Amino acid sequence: MIFDNTDKKLLEYLQKDSKQTNKELSNKLGLSVTAVYERIKKLEKEGYIDGYIAVVNKEKVNRNFVVFCHVKLIQHSQEFVVSFEKEVKRIDEVLECYHLSGDYDYLLKVIVTDMAAFREFMVKKLTSINHIGSTHSMFVINEVKYSTTINF
């Protein structure tokens, strides 16, 4: 597949507002509606587009207490890594999980209602996962920038 500047521009437009109609996109790109439709289908089929989501306002749904939590495993065996990753994927409060290099093994982005809910999350969910050696949590004071857009 050829991935050209028109595809890049189309992806930028879709990332900013995926509810735009193909007609609106065709006007912006100077293409026919059919050409836009075919390009979108091609980008989906080739894996450039993983899916479409709605970005929910955290405050409106009372989930605006955000915590970044470092996790260190007691050892780095394949069994411990696979087990931890399997378990952490099941926890609803964990929005993102990254395996890292450095002092800690993982970075989790956790979202809950308040400090009491975070404590409950730590006591009942995170620390119940086997093989965790230590954790270090940082609470978000203010979200300065949040974006899901990849610019080309």
Side-chain angles (χ1 to χ4, degrees):
M1 173 185 152
I2 298 170
F3 183 69
D4 61 16
N5 287 334
T6 303
D7 291 323
K8 291 176 184 177
K9 204 71 182 156
L10 178 56
L11 285 177
E12 285 179 12
Y13 290 140
L14 287 171
Q15 287 180 96
K16 288 182 177 123
D17 180 8
S18 65
K19 288 188 74 172
Q20 295 177 78
T21 65
N22 288 347
K23 182 159 180 58
E24 290 171 313
L25 292 166
S26 72
N27 289 335
K28 291 178 181 178
L29 294 167
L31 298 173
S32 70
V33 173
T34 302
V36 168
Y37 173 83
E38 288 173 355
R39 280 181 182 262
I40 291 172
K41 288 300 171 201
K42 175 184 70 171
L43 291 168
E44 290 170 348
K45 182 181 174 198
E46 296 294 324
Y48 287 89
I49 297 173
D50 285 334
Y52 299 91
I53 62 163
V55 178
V56 176
N57 182 317
K58 292 185 291 291
E59 289 183 31
K60 295 281 188 187
V61 296
N62 195 26
R63 296 287 187 282
N64 58 334
F65 193 78
V66 180
V67 183
F68 287 94
C69 186
H70 286 104
V71 175
K72 187 182 289 189
L73 300 181
I74 55 176
Q75 81 179 221
H76 299 107
S77 70
Q78 180 180 2
E79 175 193 342
F80 286 13
V81 167
V82 169
S83 174
F84 173 79
E85 290 178 2
K86 181 179 174 187
E87 291 298 317
V88 82
K89 286 177 183 177
R90 294 182 183 154
I91 302 174
D92 292 336
E93 293 88 346
V94 177
L95 295 186
E96 299 174 39
C97 176
Y98 300 95
H99 195 175
L100 304 172
S101 64
D103 292 337
Y104 287 90
D105 299 313
Y106 291 91
L107 176 63
L108 311 180
K109 182 178 180 181
V110 178
I111 187 167
V112 291
T113 57
D114 55 23
M115 180 62 85
F118 180 70
R119 182 182 189 288
E120 186 170 323
F121 159 79
M122 287 296 290
V123 171
K124 293 185 177 176
K125 294 186 178 181
L126 188 62
T127 57
S128 70
I129 297 176
N130 291 330
H131 317 306
I132 292 179
S134 64
T135 63
H136 176 82
S137 300
M138 297 169 289
F139 307 98
V140 171
I141 295 169
N142 183 39
E143 186 176 275
V144 176
K145 179 181 179 183
Y146 172 81
S147 178
T148 60
T149 303
I150 299 170
N151 292 307
F152 300 98

